[in-house]
Amino acid sequence: MRIGIAGAGAFGTALAVTLAQAGQAVTLWARDAEAVEEMRRTRRVARLPEIELPEGIEPVSELSSLFACDTILMALPAQATRVFVTEHAGALAGKVLVACAKGIDLHSLTGQTAIISEAVPSATPALLTGPSFAADIARGLPTALTLACADDGCGAALQQALSTPTLRLYRSADVIGAELGGALKNVIAIACGACIGAGLGDSARAALMTRGFAEMQRLAASLGAAPETLMGLSGFGDLVLTCSSELSRNYRYGLALGRGEAFDSHMTVEGAATARAVTDLAAARGLDLPISAVTARMVAGDLTPLQALDALINRPLKEERE
């Protein structure tokens, strides 16, 4: 299996590092030719400055080098996946394409693997998701992720090829459930960050996480996901990590909202776009997802965190299972 990684951001680079340290030869593609030349010269990247790139990583800016690989990990921002796979559908035909982004596409209101299947019907889509920070993976700290693929044979092969001594992959055939867990937890992480940033306390955060998880399960079930998938690494596991650590961009973005501070506009926050997509998806399916809805309004600047709290806490009382 010849492995390529599209996207030399923190997560794509971290995957390249752990795979190369395990003996895999990895082609790491970045769009910026100057940045690639710097990576070749220094064997470092700006997003993970303390990590030295192993010799098994070949940084490239030529797409032809990436497309020479039969398995490509798509470590691009979620909202960029559609453009990339559509523009390069011919070159990607017949390949195994592993989505690594966590987000719902604003255009189609679908996940990453559905975008891949639509643009490149002959490709085999898979998904790598779960509770992880790029720095932990790159430093060789123990991490467990979900590898989801509807093709059992391909999923098993990927599980073997992408697991390393410090990165343990669990296999799942429930691509929809794994995909939704990874995407939706980012929305709840923004809400939790805003909660803490506004000084509303840990008890309020616990309530947001719990009721937010109920919303994740509600939407996932309506789209055909297995309930147990959301209880695993790709759902509950990722929710716990992302809602409780400032290493999470989505959580830090929420903190900035709660504190009324500016946030780096050059930094990708997947949950911001996904909040809008989830709101549209819930409306189309007649689902009540109040935390996701107020988070989307906070992101849009229509509500302050305190106004969002007021909207949630004054909703009609109901049974917990609802």
Side-chain angles (χ1 to χ4, degrees), residues 158-182:
L158 286 170
Q159 183 183 33
Q160 289 296 322
L162 302 180
S163 292
T164 74
T166 57
L167 180 62
R168 180 177 176 85
L169 302 188
Y170 288 85
R171 194 168 74 252
S172 173
D174 183 11
V175 177
I176 293 175
E179 204 160 44
L180 287 172

Side-chain angles (χ1 to χ4, degrees), residues 97-322:
L97 302 179
V98 184
C100 300
K102 300 171 181 177
I104 296 175
D105 180 56
L106 278 169
H107 174 76
S108 62
L109 302 184
T110 60
Q112 302 297 292
T113 57
I115 294 169
I116 291 170
S117 295
E118 178 186 335
V120 195
S122 63
T124 301
L127 178 74
L128 188 62
T129 187
S132 59
F133 292 133
D136 289 349
I137 293 174
R139 290 167 57 200
L141 299 179
T143 303
L145 298 177
T146 297
L147 187 287
C149 185
D151 183 316
D152 287 339
C154 181
L158 286 170
Q159 183 183 33
Q160 289 296 322
L162 302 180
S163 292
T164 74
T166 57
L167 180 62
R168 180 177 176 85
L169 302 188
Y170 288 85
R171 194 168 74 252
S172 173
D174 183 11
V175 177
I176 293 175
E179 204 160 44
L180 287 172
L184 301 178
K185 59 87 186 178
N186 284 334
V187 179
I188 308 306
I190 292 174
C192 287
C195 167
I196 297 300
L200 301 179
D202 289 326
S203 297
R205 171 167 53 182
L208 284 171
M209 288 175 65
T210 307
R211 297 305 299 167
F213 186 55
E215 291 188 14
M216 291 167 59
Q217 292 177 305
R218 199 175 303 146
L219 180 58
S222 78
L223 293 170
E228 57 268 23
T229 302
L230 274 293
M231 294 298 297
L233 290 166
S234 60
F236 181 72
D238 215 352
L239 179 73
V240 170
L241 183 69
T242 312
C243 292
S244 59
S245 172
E246 291 192 31
L247 289 176
S248 161
R249 292 183 192 178
N250 293 280
Y251 181 75
R252 290 203 310 274
Y253 175 66
L255 281 174
L257 287 177
R259 294 167 178 166
E261 299 172 351
F263 191 79
D264 186 353
S265 61
H266 295 98
M267 189 167 288
T268 301
V269 181
E270 301 284 21
T274 297
R276 291 168 52 197
V278 167
T279 300
D280 292 343
L281 191 56
R285 303 188 73 84
L287 296 174
D288 182 28
L289 307 180
I291 296 173
S292 300
V294 299
T295 302
R297 293 183 65 190
M298 278 197 299
V299 168
D302 296 334
L303 286 180
T304 67
L306 293 180
Q307 288 171 331
L309 168 67
D310 186 67
L312 290 173
I313 210 163
N314 288 307
R315 297 176 70 244
L317 299 176
K318 55 174 63 179
E319 290 189 15
E320 186 175 15
R321 65 180 180 178
E322 295 180 2

